[in-house]
Short mmCIF file of all heavy atoms in Angstrom, two decimals:
data_model
loop_
_atom_site.label_atom_id
_atom_site.label_comp_id
_atom_site.label_asym_id
_atom_site.label_seq_id
_atom_site.Cartn_x
_atom_site.Cartn_y
_atom_site.Cartn_z
N VAL A 1 10.22 9.80 10.55
CA VAL A 1 9.39 10.90 10.12
C VAL A 1 9.09 10.86 8.70
O VAL A 1 7.91 10.92 8.23
CB VAL A 1 10.07 12.39 10.55
CG1 VAL A 1 9.28 13.46 9.79
CG2 VAL A 1 9.98 12.53 11.95
N LEU A 2 10.03 10.59 7.87
CA LEU A 2 9.96 10.44 6.38
C LEU A 2 8.95 9.38 6.03
O LEU A 2 8.03 9.56 5.33
CB LEU A 2 11.28 10.19 5.88
CG LEU A 2 11.32 9.84 4.30
CD1 LEU A 2 10.92 10.99 3.42
CD2 LEU A 2 12.76 9.35 3.93
N LYS A 3 9.19 8.21 6.72
CA LYS A 3 8.34 6.96 6.42
C LYS A 3 6.93 7.18 6.89
O LYS A 3 5.90 6.85 6.22
CB LYS A 3 8.93 5.70 6.96
CG LYS A 3 10.24 5.31 6.44
CD LYS A 3 10.19 5.02 4.91
CE LYS A 3 11.55 4.80 4.31
NZ LYS A 3 12.34 3.73 5.06
N ASN A 4 6.70 7.97 7.93
CA ASN A 4 5.38 8.25 8.66
C ASN A 4 4.55 9.17 7.66
O ASN A 4 3.50 8.91 7.52
CB ASN A 4 5.59 8.68 10.03
CG ASN A 4 4.24 8.88 10.74
OD1 ASN A 4 3.53 7.87 10.83
ND2 ASN A 4 3.90 10.18 11.06
N ILE A 5 5.29 10.22 7.35
CA ILE A 5 4.53 11.11 6.37
C ILE A 5 4.11 10.42 5.11
O ILE A 5 2.95 10.62 4.55
CB ILE A 5 5.45 12.29 6.05
CG1 ILE A 5 5.65 13.22 7.33
CG2 ILE A 5 4.86 13.15 4.99
CD1 ILE A 5 6.49 14.30 7.12
N GLU A 6 5.03 9.63 4.55
CA GLU A 6 4.69 8.91 3.22
C GLU A 6 3.50 7.90 3.47
O GLU A 6 2.60 7.79 2.83
CB GLU A 6 5.81 8.19 2.74
CG GLU A 6 5.65 7.44 1.37
CD GLU A 6 6.89 6.72 0.97
OE1 GLU A 6 7.71 6.38 1.88
OE2 GLU A 6 6.93 6.44 -0.26
N GLY A 7 3.51 7.17 4.59
CA GLY A 7 2.62 6.14 5.03
C GLY A 7 1.30 6.78 5.28
O GLY A 7 0.14 6.21 4.75
N VAL A 8 1.18 7.82 6.09
CA VAL A 8 0.00 8.38 6.41
C VAL A 8 -0.68 8.87 5.10
O VAL A 8 -1.99 8.76 4.95
CB VAL A 8 0.24 9.58 7.34
CG1 VAL A 8 -1.04 10.40 7.56
CG2 VAL A 8 0.54 8.98 8.68
N GLY A 9 0.00 9.53 4.24
CA GLY A 9 -0.54 10.08 3.11
C GLY A 9 -1.17 9.04 2.16
O GLY A 9 -2.24 9.12 1.72
N MET A 10 -0.43 7.91 2.02
CA MET A 10 -0.97 6.75 1.24
C MET A 10 -2.29 6.17 1.85
O MET A 10 -3.24 5.78 1.20
CB MET A 10 0.16 5.85 0.93
CG MET A 10 1.23 6.31 0.19
SD MET A 10 2.71 5.07 0.18
CE MET A 10 1.97 3.65 -0.60
N SER A 11 -2.17 5.93 3.20
CA SER A 11 -3.18 5.41 3.98
C SER A 11 -4.50 6.26 3.84
O SER A 11 -5.72 5.78 3.78
CB SER A 11 -2.87 5.03 5.39
OG SER A 11 -1.83 4.17 5.50
N LEU A 12 -4.40 7.57 4.06
CA LEU A 12 -5.39 8.47 3.98
C LEU A 12 -6.10 8.41 2.70
O LEU A 12 -7.37 8.42 2.54
CB LEU A 12 -4.89 9.87 4.34
CG LEU A 12 -6.04 11.06 4.38
CD1 LEU A 12 -6.97 10.65 5.46
CD2 LEU A 12 -5.43 12.40 4.75
N MET A 13 -5.41 8.54 1.48
CA MET A 13 -5.97 8.47 0.32
C MET A 13 -6.65 7.21 0.04
O MET A 13 -7.74 7.08 -0.67
CB MET A 13 -4.90 8.75 -0.72
CG MET A 13 -4.25 10.16 -0.83
SD MET A 13 -5.46 11.51 -0.81
CE MET A 13 -6.16 11.34 -2.38
N SER A 14 -6.12 6.14 0.40
CA SER A 14 -6.65 4.80 0.37
C SER A 14 -8.01 4.70 1.04
O SER A 14 -9.11 4.17 0.54
CB SER A 14 -5.81 3.67 0.83
OG SER A 14 -6.34 2.45 0.67
N LEU A 15 -8.09 5.31 2.36
CA LEU A 15 -9.24 5.26 3.06
C LEU A 15 -10.39 6.14 2.45
O LEU A 15 -11.52 5.71 2.42
CB LEU A 15 -9.02 5.82 4.47
CG LEU A 15 -10.18 5.92 5.38
CD1 LEU A 15 -10.79 4.57 5.68
CD2 LEU A 15 -9.68 6.62 6.81
N ILE A 16 -10.03 7.33 1.91
CA ILE A 16 -10.95 8.10 1.12
C ILE A 16 -11.64 7.54 0.00
O ILE A 16 -12.85 7.52 -0.31
CB ILE A 16 -10.35 9.47 0.82
CG1 ILE A 16 -9.96 10.30 1.98
CG2 ILE A 16 -11.33 10.27 -0.18
CD1 ILE A 16 -9.17 11.50 1.84
N LYS A 17 -10.64 6.80 -0.82
CA LYS A 17 -11.11 6.09 -1.99
C LYS A 17 -12.14 5.02 -1.69
O LYS A 17 -13.14 4.74 -2.36
CB LYS A 17 -9.87 5.51 -2.64
CG LYS A 17 -10.30 4.69 -4.12
CD LYS A 17 -9.00 4.26 -4.78
CE LYS A 17 -9.33 3.62 -6.00
NZ LYS A 17 -8.07 3.12 -6.70
N LYS A 18 -11.81 4.27 -0.52
CA LYS A 18 -12.70 3.18 -0.05
C LYS A 18 -14.16 3.73 0.29
O LYS A 18 -15.13 3.09 -0.05
CB LYS A 18 -12.00 2.38 1.09
CG LYS A 18 -12.81 1.26 1.55
CD LYS A 18 -12.10 0.55 2.78
CE LYS A 18 -12.85 -0.59 3.36
NZ LYS A 18 -12.10 -1.20 4.39
N GLU A 19 -14.04 4.84 1.06
CA GLU A 19 -15.38 5.40 1.46
C GLU A 19 -16.19 5.92 0.39
O GLU A 19 -17.40 5.89 0.36
CB GLU A 19 -15.13 6.54 2.55
CG GLU A 19 -14.53 6.05 3.85
CD GLU A 19 -15.53 5.13 4.63
OE1 GLU A 19 -16.71 5.46 4.46
OE2 GLU A 19 -15.15 4.17 5.20
N MET A 20 -15.48 6.47 -0.65
CA MET A 20 -16.28 6.93 -1.81
C MET A 20 -16.83 5.90 -2.80
O MET A 20 -17.37 6.30 -3.78
CB MET A 20 -15.25 7.95 -2.57
CG MET A 20 -15.05 9.24 -1.69
SD MET A 20 -13.72 10.31 -2.49
CE MET A 20 -14.36 10.55 -4.07
N THR A 21 -16.48 4.67 -2.56
CA THR A 21 -17.04 3.63 -3.39
C THR A 21 -17.99 2.67 -2.69
O THR A 21 -18.33 1.60 -3.27
CB THR A 21 -15.90 2.74 -4.09
OG1 THR A 21 -14.97 2.29 -3.04
CG2 THR A 21 -14.93 3.66 -4.97
N ARG A 22 -18.47 3.10 -1.57
CA ARG A 22 -19.35 2.25 -0.77
C ARG A 22 -20.72 2.15 -1.26
O ARG A 22 -21.33 1.13 -1.16
CB ARG A 22 -19.32 2.77 0.64
CG ARG A 22 -18.08 2.27 1.56
CD ARG A 22 -18.34 2.78 3.01
NE ARG A 22 -17.14 2.32 3.74
CZ ARG A 22 -16.95 1.22 4.43
NH1 ARG A 22 -17.91 0.18 4.14
NH2 ARG A 22 -15.93 0.90 5.00
N SER A 23 -21.22 3.20 -1.97
CA SER A 23 -22.55 3.20 -2.46
C SER A 23 -22.59 4.07 -3.74
O SER A 23 -21.68 4.79 -3.97
CB SER A 23 -23.54 3.86 -1.42
OG SER A 23 -23.07 5.11 -1.09
N LEU A 24 -23.76 4.09 -4.28
CA LEU A 24 -23.94 4.95 -5.58
C LEU A 24 -23.88 6.39 -5.13
O LEU A 24 -23.39 7.20 -5.88
CB LEU A 24 -25.40 4.64 -6.17
CG LEU A 24 -25.69 5.47 -7.50
CD1 LEU A 24 -24.63 5.15 -8.40
CD2 LEU A 24 -27.11 5.02 -7.91
N TYR A 25 -24.50 6.81 -3.99
CA TYR A 25 -24.55 8.15 -3.56
C TYR A 25 -23.03 8.59 -3.26
O TYR A 25 -22.70 9.74 -3.74
CB TYR A 25 -25.32 8.22 -2.39
CG TYR A 25 -25.22 9.58 -1.64
CD1 TYR A 25 -25.88 10.74 -2.26
CD2 TYR A 25 -24.40 9.92 -0.58
CE1 TYR A 25 -25.78 11.93 -1.71
CE2 TYR A 25 -24.29 11.09 0.07
CZ TYR A 25 -25.02 12.25 -0.59
OH TYR A 25 -24.92 13.49 -0.02
N ALA A 26 -22.18 7.75 -2.77
CA ALA A 26 -20.84 8.11 -2.42
C ALA A 26 -20.02 8.29 -3.67
O ALA A 26 -19.23 9.17 -3.72
CB ALA A 26 -20.17 7.05 -1.51
N LYS A 27 -20.35 7.43 -4.66
CA LYS A 27 -19.69 7.41 -5.95
C LYS A 27 -20.03 8.82 -6.69
O LYS A 27 -19.01 9.44 -7.27
CB LYS A 27 -20.00 6.27 -6.88
CG LYS A 27 -19.47 5.03 -6.37
CD LYS A 27 -19.88 3.77 -7.31
CE LYS A 27 -19.41 2.49 -6.74
NZ LYS A 27 -19.71 1.32 -7.64
#
């Protein structure tokens, strides 16, 4: 549970960051 919560949090923030840099509009 501990590792899953930590991993999901990190992966989610990484995914959001990736999506927000795809285009000028997203940035």
Side-chain angles (χ1 to χ4, degrees):
V1 167
L2 174 65
K3 297 295 176 56
N4 185 60
I5 290 177
E6 182 180 22
V8 168
M10 293 172 62
S11 297
L12 182 59
M13 294 307 297
S14 178
L15 179 61
I16 292 173
K17 184 177 179 180
K18 183 178 179 180
E19 290 297 322
M20 289 171 57
T21 56
R22 282 187 178 275
S23 65
L24 178 60
Y25 174 75
K27 290 179 181 179

